[in-house]
Structure formats: C-alpha cells, structure tokens
Amino acid sequence: MSLEYIKKATKTPATGEDDTRRIVQEMLAEIEAGGEARARRYARELDGWNRDIVVSAAEIEKAARILPEQTRMDIEFSHARVRSFAEAQLVSMTAFETELSPGLIAGQRLVPVNTAGCYIPGGRYAHIASAIMSVTTAKVAGVRHVIACSPTHGDRGVHPAILYAANLAGADTILHLGGVQGVAALVFGLFTGHPADIIVGPGNRFVAEAKRILYGRVGIDLFAGPTEILVIADETADPDIVASDLAGQAEHGTDSPAWLVTTSRDLAGRVIDLMPHYIGRMSEPNRSTALQAWRDYGEVVLVDSDSEAVRVSDEYAPEHLEVHCENLDWWLANLTNYGSLFLGEQTTVAYGDKCSGPNHILPTKGAARYTGGLSVGKFIKVLTWQRMSEEANRDVGAVTARISRSEGMEGHARTGDDRLAKYFPGERFDIGT
C-alpha cells in the first residue's frame, strides 16, 4: 500500500501553542487571585463591556422580541432535534444491580453533575447552534445548575440569538463574559456562587487552552482545537460538492485543517482546481480566512485502496469525517476514529453543525482516537455501589486477606480478618498467614 500527498500542509494544529499557553496561564492566575473584579476588568479591556455581567430576565425577553420570527422558528427546529437525540442517548444508559455471588450485590447509579458551565462562542460568529448543543444536552442529563457564558460585542452584550437559544435550551444563568475570563468565571463560580463541575463548549485557542490548563480541577468535555474536516472520496464523488464542503469548513478559522483522502487522482486534481472558486464565493473576512486555512493547513492525499483510505483517515482521527463513496455501509463498519461521521453526498458537516441532531461539540487534534463528542453521558457520573451479607464475607473476606498479604498490605488484610472473626466465630480460614 502507498500514499501520495498531492497537496501537503505547511502547518499543523499544534502551531503556535506555546505562546497561547503562556498568555492563558497568566490570565487564569490573575483572575483566580483577583476574583470578580479582575474578570470585570478583562471584560472591559478586551470586549468593551462595562455593565452587569449576569444577563437579566429583561434582556432575555428583549432578545426574543427583536429576533425575526423565522430565526426563532429555526432555533426551535434545531433545539427539538438536538433534544430528541440527547433524550435517546439518555435512554440508552442504564442503572442496574446484579448479584455477583450469593449475598454480594453490586450496581451502578447514573448521577448528573450538579453544575455545568457552557461556553458559547460569539466573537467572530454568533454560534447559535453551540448554545443549543451544550445547554440542551446538559439539561436533558438532569444537571441542576447550567451556567452559560458568551462574549459581548461592545455595549451590545451577548448576541440576541444566542440569548434566545440558551434560554430556550434551559440555561439557569447566562453571563456577559467570553474568552479566558468567561471560562475562569465558570470554573471559579464567579458571579453565580456555583463553581462548575464540568466545562463544555467550543472556543478559540485561548478558550481551549484555558480548559486544558484547568482540567483536573474541573471536568471538561474534550481537548478541542481548530475545527477540522476530512473527506474520503472515490471516483464517483462530485468534485464540486467535495470542494464546497472543504471550503465551507475552512471559513471557521485561519488554522482550520481541511483534508481530502481519495483513491482518484483525477478527482484530487479537480478539487484542487475548484477550491479557489468555492472559497472566492465567500465575502470578507470569511474568504481570506478560508484561503489562508486551505493554503497552510489543507491537504490532499492519494491512496491506492479503500482500506488504505481507512488507515489514513483513522490516523488523522478527524473531528468531522465525510464519506463520498460507494458502499457506505462498508465505510460505516470499518472507520473507527472520528468525532462525527457524515455518510454520503447528501449529508454534509454543516447540517450536523447547525440542526440535524447529533452534537457538534467534537474532538479535534487526533483526540477522536480515544473519545467521542459531547453527549448526555459527559454530564453523568457512573457511580458504583455494593453491599453484601455476612455470609458473603466467608469467601470475599478470605480472598481479600490472602491477596492483601501477598501484596504486603497487612492493614487491608486485617479488615477482612476482623469480619471473619466476628461473623464466623470459632471457624478457621485460610487467610494467608
């Protein structure tokens, strides 16, 4: 098997990480030390916001009034599908108890976290769908406190469509706060008194780095980076549709990778030729953004078989994976590393990004090798429990004592010894002494 790079990226998703880490570490330390006052100062300095941080009920009501009816209906369309998919995920999870041996009963409970922080990007684009994806999924999971935050635009505050979507989805509190200061406020419980147990939602490289640094003190959905798309296409694919989809995702940012893996040299050449046209259809600044992303991060890989395409795709482990090939069931059965899979020309990433149902908060930078995207399960702790009768101690106590002594852990062994002596006075057990 062999592969050939018809177009090779000059940069990788890791480019520029060191400077980002230094800036974010300094900001987080300052906000943790300075609290709400320092977060307010960053909001003023970086976003031009000098009013209340917590969004009021009046502001939410105003947002609903000023939005066009069609926009509200579209948000409700998306919310209904995301909620239905999340509810189906919840049903697929089960609590249970089972008797492992006579008198030894164990089980698991599904318990939602108490507080979730949902970061909703709103700087360059108003990420309406991200509000729906994160907040809706948390509420379906049963999270008690869902706090959302989003960047402001000068003195205009959070975009009204984001406010409407977050409120419709069930956010308990919404903050006029974005960037590192928004993430910090969620984690430290600023302005709400409810420190988040988990932070979810996409964001720029500074937001992603803040989540990475704070992971451990708080849970996160996943380690996220710039948006990615990989398209697998064979000779039956439509090069115009492939180029359109690659260009559409490249507008996310100048560091957004767009990759094509194909078994057709002819298709590879035609897509490369078409990319300037499909990028050129965009208005500025999207056009320049997509052009730079394709120039620096775009790749076209020629492979000699479907199996090789699977191998290459699984190595990339892309956030979004489209398949424009024959025999889609074969690809579904054989591909393993991706954030979300879009099968067939009729199913584009943009549908999943906005309204089709499955969550669009997905792993990047190869993280799809070990995790999926945001789901109801991210907000739910799987807690195990056990209880046993005195009779069950007869076997478990003796085995525990012997294993503990084999490990050199006498204190552990004695806890089993003591129960055996209490529950079965006068009996002798092999306890490894």
Side-chain angles (χ1 to χ4, degrees), residues 381-421:
K381 299 175 290 185
V382 178
L383 307 179
T384 60
W385 59 268
Q386 57 189 277
R387 68 170 181 263
M388 60 186 69
S389 64
E390 291 184 1
E391 183 60 32
N393 276 253
R394 182 184 297 278
D395 294 329
V396 175
V399 171
T400 296
R402 292 195 296 270
I403 290 176
S404 296
R405 289 194 167 92
S406 295
E407 295 173 337
M409 304 185 75
E410 182 65 21
H412 283 61
R414 295 280 181 172
T415 65
D417 297 348
D418 293 341
R419 283 168 174 76
L420 293 175

Side-chain angles (χ1 to χ4, degrees), residues 89 93 113 137 141 143 198 200 219-222 361 370-381:
Q89 286 181 326
M93 304 176 67
V113 300
T137 309
V143 178
I198 186 171
V200 304
I220 64 172
D221 46 0
L222 41 85
I361 299 172
Y370 58 83
T371 187
L374 185 64
S375 68
V376 165
K378 294 285 186 178
F379 298 100
I380 293 177
K381 299 175 290 185

Side-chain angles (χ1 to χ4, degrees), residues 283-301:
S283 58
E284 292 293 357
N286 303 42
R287 180 168 60 244
S288 294
T289 296
L291 189 64
Q292 184 174 339
W294 176 245
R295 182 193 69 200
D296 294 343
Y297 292 89
E299 290 190 339
V300 177
V301 185

Side-chain angles (χ1 to χ4, degrees), residues 17-238:
E17 283 185 346
D18 291 341
D19 288 341
T20 302
R21 185 170 300 121
R22 175 184 55 78
I23 293 168
V24 173
Q25 285 175 330
E26 292 174 358
M27 291 181 67
L28 289 173
E30 288 182 14
I31 296 170
E32 185 169 19
E36 293 182 1
R38 192 66 184 93
R40 288 181 188 277
R41 181 176 163 188
Y42 271 124
R44 182 173 65 253
E45 293 173 348
L46 300 179
D47 296 325
W49 182 255
N50 199 28
R51 292 160 53 189
D52 289 342
I53 297 296
V54 177
V55 177
S56 67
E59 289 174 292
I60 294 172
E61 292 172 4
K62 179 182 177 182
R65 289 197 306 272
I66 65 175
L67 283 180
E69 182 181 4
Q70 187 62 61
T71 300
R72 296 196 303 272
M73 291 173 61
D74 290 343
I75 291 171
E76 290 159 9
F77 177 97
S78 176
H79 173 251
R81 280 144 190 80
V82 172
R83 184 189 62 222
S84 294
F85 192 81
E87 288 171 346
Q89 286 181 326
L90 184 60
V91 170
S92 75
M93 304 176 67
T94 58
F96 68 84
E97 65 177 61
T98 183
E99 190 168 28
L100 300 173
S101 59
L104 169 53
I105 301 171
Q108 72 176 26
R109 298 174 61 213
L110 305 178
V111 180
V113 300
N114 289 314
T115 302
C118 298
Y119 187 90
I120 304 167
R124 187 168 172 200
Y125 303 115
H127 285 263
I128 302 166
S130 289
I132 297 168
M133 300 285 175
S134 58
V135 177
T136 302
T137 309
K139 294 308 285 188
V140 169
V143 178
R144 188 177 306 165
H145 302 287
V146 177
I147 303 164
C149 73
S150 189
T152 59
H153 296 265
D155 62 358
R156 290 174 293 168
V158 174
H159 194 286
I162 290 177
L163 289 182
Y164 183 78
N167 183 65
L168 174 68
D172 298 287
T173 309
I174 307 172
L175 304 179
H176 287 293
L177 210 57
V180 175
Q181 60 271 27
V183 174
L186 296 174
V187 173
F188 303 145
L190 305 182
F191 308 105
T192 65
H194 294 289
D197 301 307
I198 186 171
I199 302 291
V200 304
N204 62 21
R205 60 193 175 101
F206 296 100
V207 169
E209 183 61 20
K211 290 168 63 180
R212 191 195 68 79
I213 290 171
L214 291 165
Y215 176 60
R217 294 183 58 168
V218 65
I220 64 172
D221 46 0
L222 41 85
F223 293 110
T227 291
E228 306 163 353
I229 181 174
L230 188 149
V231 176
I232 299 175
D234 62 16
E235 69 280 357
T236 68
D238 182 338

Side-chain angles (χ1 to χ4, degrees), residues 78 82 127-133 227-229 245 248-249 251-252 319-320 322 340 342 348-362:
S78 176
V82 172
H127 285 263
I128 302 166
S130 289
I132 297 168
M133 300 285 175
T227 291
E228 306 163 353
I229 181 174
D245 287 0
Q249 288 299 300
E251 76 173 338
H252 270 281
E319 176 188 22
H320 305 103
E322 291 187 0
S340 195
F342 301 80
T348 180
V349 169
Y351 295 169
D353 276 350
K354 307 307 175 187
C355 65
S356 57
N359 211 288
H360 79 187
I361 299 172
L362 301 166

